[in-house]
Amino acid sequence: MERIPILRMGETLLVTIQVDMQDQTAMALQEDLSARIASTGASGVLIDISALEIVDSFVGRMLSTISGVARILSATTVVVGMQPAVAITLVELGLSLEGVRTALDVERGMALLQRLRLENARGA
Amino acid sequence: MERIPILRMGETLLVTIQVDMQDQTAMALQEDLSARIASTGASGVLIDISALEIVDSFVGRMLSTISGVARILSATTVVVGMQPAVAITLVELGLSLEGVRTALDVERGMALLQRLRLENARGA
């Protein structure tokens, strides 16, 4: 079974999705990511999907689930690099990716996470 | 044809290799990466190969070639996340990845690039 690598960069975990997600790969990613958030105490997760030309409802749900799990583990998920056509498909499928934050690219995603960290620190 | 996404993070371009490289994918990556180095003026390239359990002489040569091309375009390449078994195979194949810098993970690779940037700035 293929496993998608999770790269740690400071307080952020970065995942680049390049292959079409199958059930098993998606489940493995979810498990690996939860374990890594817990073990590293990461406060942010960046998921780059710029390589995906098609996102079906399965992948859409997976992104929502990962985001939900991460939130419970006190990490914010930002999905980056979504192609315009993918955004259109998602909306047409009725998947609004609720609760999932998005950014245009990794740099902006990083900046967003940084801003949220500062806000949280101020609020605490 | 699959294309491997190239993520820009400041002055560094990050590539995560997850699929077994075929000739066409490797050629496309080489071209895309050269174009991105030129268009962004990136000074560093990080190639994560933590997902690769097997690196044959083809991939070994590809890493050397990418590194060589990047160098001519004034960027330093750091290969990160190599599994110990892969390192053993490479040496057994007689591929010492000459001219290719390595680091244990993305964070250390980033730190290495940062250090090299400072050294260059001081030397200039």
Side-chain angles (χ1 to χ4, degrees), chain A:
Chain A
M1 187 179 56
E2 278 187 80
R3 285 191 111 83
I4 296 176
I6 299 168
L7 308 181
R8 180 179 183 181
M9 288 184 304
E11 286 197 56
T12 304
L13 300 178
L14 173 67
V15 179
T16 322
I17 296 181
Q18 296 173 18
V19 289
D20 288 331
M21 301 293 283
Q22 305 299 325
D23 289 37
Q24 282 217 320
T25 327
M27 286 300 298
L29 176 61
Q30 228 166 281
E31 280 168 29
D32 291 351
L33 204 49
S34 319
R36 280 295 285 278
I37 294 172
S39 68
T40 60
S43 64
V45 176
L46 278 181
I47 304 183
D48 175 81
I49 60 167
S50 59
L52 297 187
E53 281 171 14
I54 297 166
V55 169
D56 55 14
S57 60
F58 172 71
V59 174
R61 269 200 309 277
M62 181 201 71
L63 293 175
S64 291
T65 308
I66 285 182
S67 174
V69 174
R71 194 178 311 119
I72 296 176
L73 296 169
S74 336
T76 308
T77 304
V78 180
V79 173
V80 301
M82 191 185 293
Q83 296 188 16
V86 168
I88 294 171
T89 313
L90 282 176
V91 173
E92 281 176 355
L93 285 170
L95 288 167
S96 58
L97 292 190
E98 216 164 315
V100 179
R101 282 169 179 272
T102 52
L104 214 59
D105 53 34
V106 172
E107 279 197 310
R108 283 168 224 236
M110 285 275 195
L112 172 58
L113 285 174
Q114 187 56 30
R115 208 167 61 235
L116 293 172
R117 254 173 228 133
L118 289 175
E119 279 175 20
N120 282 344
R122 224 176 287 140

Side-chain angles (χ1 to χ4, degrees), chain B residues 73-85:
Chain B
L73 296 168
S74 338
T76 307
T77 304
V78 180
V79 173
V80 301
M82 191 185 292
Q83 295 187 17

Side-chain angles (χ1 to χ4, degrees), chain B residues 36-116:
Chain B
R36 279 296 284 281
I37 295 172
S39 68
T40 60
S43 64
V45 175
L46 279 181
I47 303 182
D48 175 81
I49 59 168
S50 59
L52 298 186
E53 283 170 12
I54 297 166
V55 169
D56 55 13
S57 61
F58 173 70
V59 174
R61 266 199 310 276
M62 182 201 69
L63 293 174
S64 290
T65 308
I66 284 182
S67 174
V69 173
R71 193 177 312 120
I72 296 177
L73 296 168
S74 338
T76 307
T77 304
V78 180
V79 173
V80 301
M82 191 185 292
Q83 295 187 17
V86 167
I88 294 171
T89 313
L90 282 177
V91 173
E92 281 177 354
L93 285 171
L95 288 168
S96 57
L97 292 189
E98 214 163 317
V100 179
R101 282 170 180 271
T102 52
L104 214 58
D105 53 34
V106 172
E107 280 198 307
R108 283 168 225 236
M110 286 274 195
L112 172 59
L113 285 175
Q114 187 57 31
R115 208 168 60 236
L116 292 173

